[in-house]
C-alpha cells in the first residue's frame, strides 16, 4: 500500500491540477474561445495531469530497492546490437518506422529498468548514446538530402565555398563573421573526403550524441548525484529538439552544445575545492567564451533571456532553505558570474567591429512593432484545385493518438511530476534548485501551443537546454513507483522516448506519423537534388532573362551558385511573376509551397496545388528544360494566372 503520511499537503495539488485542467477546457468550450477540435487537441493537458496524478500516488519519492537487476555487460551488448541492426534494416528496406518503433521503446525500457535499480554508469550511458545515434542515423539513410528549415542548403554552400576559396570572407549570408561552424564541418569534410552535406549531417549526429554524456556530467555536478546525472542523460533522448537538430544541424545547434559545456564548467567553478582548480577551469571558460562569440550570436541573446528567468529563482533560493534574501545576493558575486559577464563583454566588443545584420534587423523589427511603426505581415495559404482537410473531432482524437500527441501528454506529465516532487520533498533538491525551477517554468514553451509563433523554434531549442533538469526530476519520480507498478512506469518511459523519435518535428519526413494539413517539403531524394543543380547550371549558362521559383528550389540553386532573383507571388487568381523563366517542381503537389524569405506580404504567402491543375498547366506552358521533377517555363511577358486560371484547369 502507498503510504499517505509522506504525501501530506502536496497530495491535494495533483488533484487540483486535474480539476483545473478539466474546468479550463470546459470553460473555454462554453465561452467558444477556440474551435472544439482545437480544444480537444489541448486535452493533452488533462491527460498529462491524470497520468501525473496516478504516478504521484503510486510512487514514494524514494529510490526503490531492487533485488535483481539486468546484467550491465550483456544488456549493453544487446542494446548496441539491436540499435545497429535497426540502422542496417532501415538502410536495406528504405523505411525506419517499424524497425525503430520496436527497438527504441525496447531499449529505453531496459534503461528505465536499470535506473530503478543500482545502474552501472558506463553501461547506461553507452546504451543511451547507441539508441540516440541509431535513431538519427536511421533518418540519415532514408531521407536523401534532408534540409529541414532550408538553412542546410546555405551551410552546404558555405562549406563548399570555404573549401574552394580558402577565405572566410567568401562565406555568404553574413556567416563570414561567425565562421566556427563552417570551419568545423569543413575540417570534417577535408579529413574524411565526404561531400559537404554528409560531413555536416554526420558531424551533427555525433556532436548531439555527445550531449548525452555532457548532460550526465552536468546533472551529476548540479544535483551532486550520479543517478540524477543519468536521468538528465535520459532526458536528452526524451526531448525532441535534440533529435531534430542532430540532422538539421546548423550554427545554433553547435552554439547550444557549447552553452551546455559552459554550464558544466561554470557548475564546476562554483564548487571548485581549491584556488588552483578554479584558475584552471577559468582558463577553459575564457577559451570557450571566445569560441562561442564567433559561433552563433543569436543563441546567446536567447540564452540570456533564459538566464534572466533564473536570476530571481537564485535570489529566492536561500530564503526557501532557511537562509535570507541576502544570502542569494552573495551567490551573485562576480567570482561566480564572470563567465556570463565576460561573454557579454566579448560579444559587445566583437559586434562593435563586425555588427550582425541579422541582429540589427531583429532589433529594428521588434522596436517597430512595439512602437507601432511596423507590423509583421501575415501569410495567406492559397489552395489551387485542392481542399485542406476539415478539422473535425475525429481528427483531433486521432492526433492525440499520434506520436506527437503521445509526446505532448508524456512531456506534460513529466513536468507536472517534477513540480509535485519539488513540493513533496523540496530539500532533496537544494542542489540544482535554481536550474530545475527555471527550467520548469520555461518548459511550458515546449508543449504544443494553439497559437503559432514565428521562429519560436529557436527559443524552444535554448529552453531545452535547461528543460533537462525538470524532466530528470520527473523521470526520477516516475521510476520511484512501488514494486507492483514498476512495469507501468517502465512502459511509460519507453512510450515517451519512443514517441519522441516520431513526432512531427523529429520525424517530419514520415507523413504517416502525424495528422495535419500538408506540410512544407523538408527533404529531397538524391535524384531530385541533382535535378535542381543541373537546372541551375542550365539557367546560368543559357538563361537570357530573370528567373523566379519557390523558396526551397531557390535555396537548392544556391548550392550551384545560382540565384532566382525575381519574386514569385501567390494570389486568388493563381501564381504571378514578371520573370522570363519560371521553375516549378512536381514535388509542389502534396506539399505546402513557400514563396520567399522576405517580410513583404506577397513573399509570406504560401500555396498548395493539386496534381490535375499542375499537369494541366504543364501541358500548356512552353517548356525549355525538363527533368523527371523540374520544369522550366519560358514567357517573354512573364507568367500569370498559373494554377488559378480556368484555361489551364480541367473542368
Amino acid at each position: 500500500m502507498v503510504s499517505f503520511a509522506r504525501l501530506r499537503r502536496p497530495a491535494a495539488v495533483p488533484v487540483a491540477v486535474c480539476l483545473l485542467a478539466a474546468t479550463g477546457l470546459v470553460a473555454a468550450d462554453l465561452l467558444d474561445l477556440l474551435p472544439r477540435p482545437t480544444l480537444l487537441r489541448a486535452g493533452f493537458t488533462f491527460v498529462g495531469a491524470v497520468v501525473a496524478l496516478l504516478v504521484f500516488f503510486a510512487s514514494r519519492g524514494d529510490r526503490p530497492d531492487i533485488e535483481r537487476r539486468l546484467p550491465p555487460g550483456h544488456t549493453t551488448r544487446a542494446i548496441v546490437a539491436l540499435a545497429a541492426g535497426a540502422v542496417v534494416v532501415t538502410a536495406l528496406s528504405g523505411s525506419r518506422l517499424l524497425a525503430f518503433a520496436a527497438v527504441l521503446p525496447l531499449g529505453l525500457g531496459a534503461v528505465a529498468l536499470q535506473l530503478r535499480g543500482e545502474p552501472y554508469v558506463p553501461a547506461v550511458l553507452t546504451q543511451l548514446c547507441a539508441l540516440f545515434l541509431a535513431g538519427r542515423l536511421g533518418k540519415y539513410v532514408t531521407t536523401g538530402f534532408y534540409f529541414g528549415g532550408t538553412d542546410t542548403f546555405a551551410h552546404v554552400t558555405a562549406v563548399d565555398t570555404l573549401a574552394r576559396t580558402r577565405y572566410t570572407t567568401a562565406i555568404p549570408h553574413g556567416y563570414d563573421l561567425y565562421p566556427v561552424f563552417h570551419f568545423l564541418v569543413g575540417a570534417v569534410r577535408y579529413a574524411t573526403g565526404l561531400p559537404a552535406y554528409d560531413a555536416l549531417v554526420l558531424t551533427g549526429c555525433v556532436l548531439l550524441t555527445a550531449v548525452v554524456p555532457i548532460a550526465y556530467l552536468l546533472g551529476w555536478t548540479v544535483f551532486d548525484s550520479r543517478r540524477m546525472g543519468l536521468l538528465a542523460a535520459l532526458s536528452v533522448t526524451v526531448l525532441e529538439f535534440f533529435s531534430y537538430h542532430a540532422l538539421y544541424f546548423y550554427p545554433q545547434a553547435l552554439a547550444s552544445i557549447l552553452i551546455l559545456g559552459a554550464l558544466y564548467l561554470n557548475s564546476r567553478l562554483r564548487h571548485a575545492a581549491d584556488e588552483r582548480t578554479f584558475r584552471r577551469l577559468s582558463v577553459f571558460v575564457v577559451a570557450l567564451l571566445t569560441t562561442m562569440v564567433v559561433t552563433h550570436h543569436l543563441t546567446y541573446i536567447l540564452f540570456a533571456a533564459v538566464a534572466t528567468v533564473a536570476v530571481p529563482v537564485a535570489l529566492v533560493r536561500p530564503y526557501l532553505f532557511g537562509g535570507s534574501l541576502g544570502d542569494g545576493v552573495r551567490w551573485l558575486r562576480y567570482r561566480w558570474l564572470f563567465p556570463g559577464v565576460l561573454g557579454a563583454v566579448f560579444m559587445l566588443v566583437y559586434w562593435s567591429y563586425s555588427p550582425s545584420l541579422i541582429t540589427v534587423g531583429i532589433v529594428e523589427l521588434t522596436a517597430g512593432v512595439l512602437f507601432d511603426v511596423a507590423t509583421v505581415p501575415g501569410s495567406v495559404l492559397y489552395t489551387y484545385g485542392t481542399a485542406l482537410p476539415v478539422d473535425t473531432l475525429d481528427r483531433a482524437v486521432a492526433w492525440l493518438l499520434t506520436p506527437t500527441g503521445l509526446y505532448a501528454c508524456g512531456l506534460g506529465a513529466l513536468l507536472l511530476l517534477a513540480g509535485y516532487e519539488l513540493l513533496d520533498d523540496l530539500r532533496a533538491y537544494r542542489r540544482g534548485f535554481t536550474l530545475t525551477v527555471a527550467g520548469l517554468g520555461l518548459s511550458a514553451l515546449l508543449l504544443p501551443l494553439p497559437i503559432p509563433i514565428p521562429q519560436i523554434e529557436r527559443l524552444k531549442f535554448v529552453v531545452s537546454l535547461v528543460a533537462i533538469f525538470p524532466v530528470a526530476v520527473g523521470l526520477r519520480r516516475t521510476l520511484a513507483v512501488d514494486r507492483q507498478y514498476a512495469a507501468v512506469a517502465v512502459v511509460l518511459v519507453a512510450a515517451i522516448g519512443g514517441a519522441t523519435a516520431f513526432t512531427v518535428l523529429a520525424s517530419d519526413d514520415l507523413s504517416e506519423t502525424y495528422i495535419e494539413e500538408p506540410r512544407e517539403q523538408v527533404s529531397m531524394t538524391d535524384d531530385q537534388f541533382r535535378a535542381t543543380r543541373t537546372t541551375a547550371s542550365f539557367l546560368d549558362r543559357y538563361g537570357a532573362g530573370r528567373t523566379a521559383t519557390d523558396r526551397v528550389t531557390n535555396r537548392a540553386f544556391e548550392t550551384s551558385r545560382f540565384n532566382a532573383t525575381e519574386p514569385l507571388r501567390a494570389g486568388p487568381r493563381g501564381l504571378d511573376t514578371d520573370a522570363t523563366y519560371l521553375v516549378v517542381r512536381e514535388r509542389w503537389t502534396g506539399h505546402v509551397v513557400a514563396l520567399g524569405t522576405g517580410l513583404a506580404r506577397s513573399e509570406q504567402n504560401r500555396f498548395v496545388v493539386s496534381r490535375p491543375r499542375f499537369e494541366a498547366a504543364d501541358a500548356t506552358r512552353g517548356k525549355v528544360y525538363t527533368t523527371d521533377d523540374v520544369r522550366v517555363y519560358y514567357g517573354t511577358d512573364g507568367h500569370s494566372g498559373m494554377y488559378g486560371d480556368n484555361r489551364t484547369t480541367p473542368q
Side-chain angles (χ1 to χ4, degrees):
M1 296 293 293
V2 178
S3 174
F4 288 90
R6 277 188 49 83
L7 303 179
R8 298 186 303 276
R9 287 173 297 175
V13 176
V15 177
V17 170
C18 287
L19 293 176
L20 181 62
T23 303
L25 292 172
V26 172
D29 183 47
L30 293 176
L31 296 174
D32 200 23
L33 298 179
L34 290 171
R36 187 163 291 176
T38 302
L39 285 175
L40 189 54
R41 283 185 176 87
F44 77 84
T45 56
F46 177 70
V47 175
V50 171
V51 172
L53 171 69
L54 296 176
V55 173
F56 181 79
F57 280 103
S59 59
R60 301 168 300 184
D62 297 323
R63 180 178 62 84
D65 294 324
I66 303 297
E67 296 179 359
R68 293 179 300 174
R69 65 177 184 178
L70 296 177
H74 295 306
T75 305
T76 300
R77 284 190 287 271
I79 289 179
V80 171
L82 285 173
V87 175
V88 173
V89 169
T90 295
L92 295 176
S93 65
S95 174
R96 70 182 186 280
L97 183 57
L98 293 178
F100 284 100
V103 169
L104 289 177
L106 182 62
L108 291 172
V111 170
L113 191 59
Q114 293 170 79
L115 289 174
R116 274 185 53 82
E118 196 64 44
Y120 181 55
V121 172
V124 173
L125 286 179
T126 301
Q127 295 162 32
L128 288 173
C129 288
L131 293 170
F132 185 89
L133 180 60
R136 311 294 73 76
L137 292 178
K139 187 173 182 178
Y140 166 68
V141 299
T142 56
T143 50
F145 192 105
Y146 178 81
F147 51 84
T150 74
D151 281 354
T152 299
F153 290 119
H155 296 304
V156 166
T157 303
V159 172
D160 283 334
T161 301
L162 181 62
R164 184 180 67 255
T165 63
R166 309 293 194 211
Y167 291 104
T168 58
T169 53
I171 300 177
H173 302 292
Y175 279 109
D176 56 317
L177 304 175
Y178 305 94
V180 173
F181 175 86
H182 304 98
F183 280 162
L184 175 63
V185 176
V188 174
R189 176 185 181 274
Y190 177 80
T192 61
L194 291 169
Y197 167 76
D198 298 279
L200 184 150
V201 172
L202 292 176
T203 300
C205 290
V206 171
L207 289 182
L208 266 296
T209 301
V211 170
V212 173
I214 292 174
Y216 163 73
L217 293 173
L218 185 57
W220 177 20
T221 305
V222 168
F223 291 106
D224 194 25
S225 166
R226 291 180 181 270
R227 180 177 299 278
M228 290 302 298
L230 289 176
L231 290 170
L234 177 58
S235 300
V236 173
T237 67
V238 170
L239 292 167
E240 63 179 346
F241 273 88
F242 294 106
S243 298
Y244 174 57
H245 283 295
L247 269 80
Y248 185 38
F249 187 56
Y250 66 131
Q252 181 174 350
L254 177 59
S256 299
I257 297 171
L258 296 179
I259 286 178
L260 276 179
L263 283 176
Y264 171 65
L265 288 176
N266 198 46
S267 65
R268 291 287 305 276
L269 276 172
R270 294 175 70 90
H271 301 99
D274 53 74
E275 195 67 27
R276 181 179 180 183
T277 302
F278 183 88
R279 291 176 180 175
R280 185 178 300 172
L281 290 172
S282 298
V283 172
F284 283 110
V285 168
V286 172
L288 185 58
L289 288 172
T290 306
T291 305
M292 289 165 63
V293 168
V294 290
T295 300
H296 192 259
H297 53 289
L298 183 57
T299 305
Y300 308 113
I301 296 176
L302 295 174
F303 191 74
V306 173
T308 301
V309 174
V311 169
V313 181
L315 291 173
V316 174
R317 175 185 173 277
Y319 178 76
L320 295 176
F321 293 102
S324 64
L325 293 179
D327 295 330
V329 175
R330 285 194 292 272
W331 271 97
L332 298 179
R333 291 181 297 176
Y334 178 75
R335 177 183 175 87
W336 312 121
L337 297 182
F338 86 90
V341 175
L342 279 184
V345 171
F346 288 169
M347 190 171 293
L348 289 173
V349 170
Y350 189 67
W351 278 349
S352 66
Y353 289 99
S354 54
S356 167
L357 298 180
I358 296 176
T359 306
V360 171
I362 291 173
V363 172
E364 288 180 346
L365 180 60
T366 303
V369 172
L370 291 176
F371 293 102
D372 199 26
V373 295
T375 58
V376 178
S379 65
V380 178
L381 177 61
Y382 292 97
T383 57
Y384 301 135
T386 186
L388 297 178
V390 178
D391 200 10
T392 64
L393 295 178
D394 290 342
R395 283 175 56 82
V397 172
W399 178 86
L400 286 172
L401 299 176
T402 63
T404 303
L406 295 175
Y407 171 80
C409 295
L411 180 59
L414 289 176
L415 294 175
L416 286 174
L417 280 168
Y420 303 158
E421 173 72 355
L422 289 174
L423 292 174
D424 193 29
D425 194 5
L426 185 62
R427 291 195 173 275
Y429 299 94
R430 186 185 185 97
R431 290 278 297 264
F433 178 82
T434 300
L435 288 174
T436 301
V437 173
L440 183 61
L442 291 167
S443 294
L445 293 173
L446 302 180
L447 298 172
L449 300 175
I451 302 174
I453 302 176
Q455 296 296 317
I456 194 173
E457 287 79 8
R458 290 186 179 272
L459 179 59
K460 284 184 175 182
F461 191 25
V462 176
V463 169
S464 296
L465 302 181
V466 291
I468 60 176
F469 301 105
V471 170
V473 174
L475 287 169
R476 179 184 184 274
R477 185 75 191 211
T478 301
L479 294 175
V481 296
D482 292 338
R483 187 188 300 271
Q484 60 265 39
Y485 307 116
V488 176
V490 170
V491 169
L492 180 61
V493 173
I496 295 172
T500 299
F502 297 106
T503 63
V504 172
L505 190 67
S507 190
D508 46 13
D509 58 302
L510 293 176
S511 59
E512 58 267 39
T513 63
Y514 51 85
I515 301 175
E516 293 294 339
E517 66 182 28
R519 294 170 56 82
E520 293 185 28
Q521 187 178 0
V522 295
S523 64
M524 295 181 179
T525 66
D526 292 335
D527 289 340
Q528 291 165 356
F529 180 59
R530 193 177 301 112
T532 62
R533 302 195 71 170
T534 57
T535 303
S537 299
F538 169 82
L539 290 169
D540 189 39
R541 178 174 297 184
Y542 301 109
R546 290 179 295 181
T547 303
T549 190
D550 68 301
R551 180 166 65 100
V552 167
T553 307
N554 203 27
R555 297 303 294 268
F557 281 170
E558 290 182 20
T559 63
S560 299
R561 287 178 284 170
F562 178 77
N563 191 24
T565 57
E566 190 69 20
L568 179 63
R569 300 176 293 274
R573 299 185 58 184
L575 300 183
D576 295 290
T577 182
D578 297 326
T580 305
Y581 300 99
L582 174 60
V583 181
V584 305
R585 293 185 298 114
E586 283 198 8
R587 294 285 285 184
W588 282 8
T589 60
H591 290 92
V592 172
V593 183
L595 296 179
T597 57
L599 286 176
R601 178 178 294 275
S602 61
E603 293 190 50
Q604 292 291 306
N605 291 341
R606 302 172 299 159
F607 71 91
V608 291
V609 58
S610 66
R611 179 161 289 278
R613 287 207 183 190
F614 182 91
E615 292 177 348
D618 192 54
T620 58
R621 300 281 167 164
K623 295 187 286 290
V624 295
Y625 184 85
T626 181
T627 69
D628 291 338
D629 184 61
V630 184
R631 312 281 192 273
V632 179
Y633 299 150
Y634 176 80
T636 55
D637 298 324
H639 305 267
S640 63
M642 179 78 70
Y643 307 135
D645 191 336
N646 287 335
R647 291 173 300 175
T648 64
T649 305
Q651 301 297 311

